[in-house]
Amino acid sequence: MVVKSTAVKVRHYKWDVEYMFWAPDCEERVVMGINGQFPGPTIRAEVGDTIHVDLTNKLSTEGVVIHWHGIRQLGTPWADGTASISQCPINPGETFTYRFVVDKAGTYFYHGHYGMQRSGGLYGTLIVEVPKGQHEPFHYDGEFNLLLSDWWHESIHEQEVGLSSKPLRWIGEPQTLLINGRGQYNCSLLPNFGNSSSTQCKFSGTEQCAPQILQVLPNKTYRVRLASTTALASLNIAIGNHKMIVVEADGNYVQPFTVDDLDIYSGESYSVLINTNQNPNKNYWISIGVRGRRPNTPPALTILNYKPTSASKLPTISPPITPAWNDYNHSKSFTKNIFALMGSHTPPATYDRRIALLNTQNRIDGFIKWAINNVSLVFPPTPYLGSIKFGLKSGFDQTNPPENFPSSYDIMSPPANPNTTTGSGVYRLRYNTTVDIILQNANALGANVSEIHPWHLHGHDFWVLGYGEGKFTKDDEAKFNLKNPPLRNTVVIFPYGWTALRFVADNPGAWAFHCHIEPHLHMGMGVVLASAVERVQGIPSNALTCGLTAKMFLKKKNIP
Ligand SMILES: O=C1O[C@H]([C@@H](O)CO)C(O)=C1O
């Protein structure tokens, strides 16, 4: 018998998560750092590698987990890093090992998935490259990585308490947008910053808030990897005088298309190619602004610097201006241009089950929440993975959450009965079945308000079959794109619209599916899906030493 030896590379990391003083936007605050860095260290791996992170919680009084966003965790659902779903929060002082395989090349990131710890700065980049000797379906001479986030001066504890208070204290718009953890609050890179009293920033270059300049050579092609881990903001990026060719979305190749600017929602990643074919004696602004909510945050800026031109030479043309925040047609036309790269795997032609999820803002005893089919998700103390695996029925609500919402529901008006219930039920998906989900947006509590929500699925990619206006009807099915729909892990629903997606429940485990706006998840905007948990083998016991699973271990006296 011939035994093929496959070289498996394990990449070991030892990480300490801690609070530390830092000045991401030139104002010193407390941020969540890893090994003294903010953002956390970048992981670079190759397809097939095993990532092994020994994560020690150095926070003195709170738990922590890290989610590997976009990594499907095939066969390792306990390493997904979602508190209450895949594991117990890691206690202060304790170490948990995340060990998983990265099986698909692309641009990914990781972030905290407990309370508002993403807003607190717990994130970093994860890049998976094609194996040596293989090639991406496009060429580039160099690459940059831009991890985008939003930043508040209020502490995440104040944010959490505010979001759980009656009346709600909304977190408001961010103070600053950050590029690779760097932004400017009380000064600007621009010499004459319009109407405000802000002055031009003076940097020596070593400041924590000094921008990272993108240094390029003329007449080359660069890959710019973009990922958004914002807590709230939807963003738009443009590079003065340069077009961008979109080639990757969420770790999947797309049919290349050219844009002047690109929308990126929280939870999404893209790769774009730029050609440095402009006047090499000049530099150009890279500008990132807020979309979809009335902005109250100045754009993030950095510079594309053509070598050997000095980086300190300011661009002569002003920074590109983001489209108007509510120009949804602009966003829709971009989004609807995204197709899978020709020759990609197509979705199954039919579905076994269809779930429609109505997104509404509601009240519970006067507290403002978000609800899905009138249920606002509350996380139980025992991780679903453990409750389901060991049949602990009191671990979560045993009633199945609703598959649909009343067909008479008026999505164009505030909810007629704005009261909702809480729940922790699970959508149980039969193994290997094809599931369609229709995400239906609606009016929020206030009149004439419907917001953008980027939905992120753990453990799977899904095909985006289509988008539409108003309420989804059966007739819309005829318009589904089954030919070349993009595969993604995050998709947006536009105000008053619907989005249809399809996936195969082929990954045993318990998985979150939720709005990636962190305060919205905190307010209940998510559901839990589970399939074939009985097939999951080898859950490390320290993933489950809390709640009912901890009690079960005690009874069985089988604590390792
Ligand atoms: O969840 C939210 O709450 C506020 C607002 O609706 C209530 O103040 C807002 O803008 C959200 O997105």
Side-chain angles (χ1 to χ4, degrees), residues 333-530:
S333 77
F334 168 73
T335 306
K336 292 177 186 175
N337 261 326
I338 305 172
F339 298 108
L341 180 65
M342 213 185 286
S344 301
H345 195 51
T346 52
T350 55
Y351 58 92
D352 299 305
R353 178 172 173 191
R354 171 170 290 165
I355 303 170
L357 300 177
L358 174 70
N359 291 233
T360 55
Q361 196 182 28
N362 302 77
R363 287 197 193 86
I364 297 178
D365 303 330
F367 292 93
I368 294 185
K369 301 285 174 192
W370 289 89
I372 304 307
N373 292 348
N374 217 31
V375 181
S376 185
L377 180 64
V378 282
F379 286 120
T382 312
Y384 287 91
L385 185 61
S387 294
I388 299 171
K389 175 77 189 171
F390 299 110
L392 306 171
K393 291 205 157 42
S394 49
F396 59 91
D397 289 350
Q398 294 298 304
T399 34
N400 292 331
E403 295 277 305
N404 215 323
F405 56 92
S407 58
S408 58
Y409 188 90
D410 176 8
I411 65 148
M412 302 306 290
S413 309
N417 171 9
N419 295 322
T420 193
T421 54
T422 55
S424 61
V426 173
Y427 291 90
R428 307 290 287 259
L429 309 177
R430 258 198 323 119
Y431 186 49
N432 270 337
T433 54
T434 302
V435 180
D436 274 15
I437 294 189
I438 312 294
L439 289 163
Q440 177 67 60
N441 210 341
N443 200 102
L445 279 170
N448 301 315
V449 181
S450 182
E451 298 181 8
I452 276 185
H453 301 284
W455 275 77
H456 171 60
L457 177 60
H458 292 228
H460 312 73
D461 286 339
F462 49 73
W463 288 277
V464 183
L465 302 185
Y467 302 85
E469 310 288 326
K471 211 190 296 182
F472 178 83
T473 67
K474 188 91 179 117
D475 295 343
D476 290 315
E477 212 178 305
K479 290 177 268 170
F480 281 177
N481 174 13
L482 299 176
K483 205 180 89 207
N484 58 357
L487 256 186
R488 304 207 64 161
N489 62 56
T490 304
V491 74
V492 67
I493 49 172
F494 291 110
Y496 300 109
W498 56 262
T499 299
L501 50 99
R502 179 168 294 177
F503 67 97
V504 179
D506 57 2
N507 191 8
W511 308 106
F513 181 46
H514 63 95
C515 175
H516 209 257
I517 292 176
E518 197 174 37
H520 286 179
L521 176 59
H522 200 74
M523 293 159 79
M525 197 167 203
V527 297
V528 178
L529 314 174

Side-chain angles (χ1 to χ4, degrees), residues 184-206:
Q184 298 79 38
Y185 176 66
N186 246 338
C187 66
S188 170
L189 302 185
L190 287 171
N192 304 306
F193 190 53
N195 49 2
S196 84
S197 54
S198 304
T199 51
Q200 192 177 7
C201 311
K202 297 261 178 299
F203 289 125
S204 70
T206 56

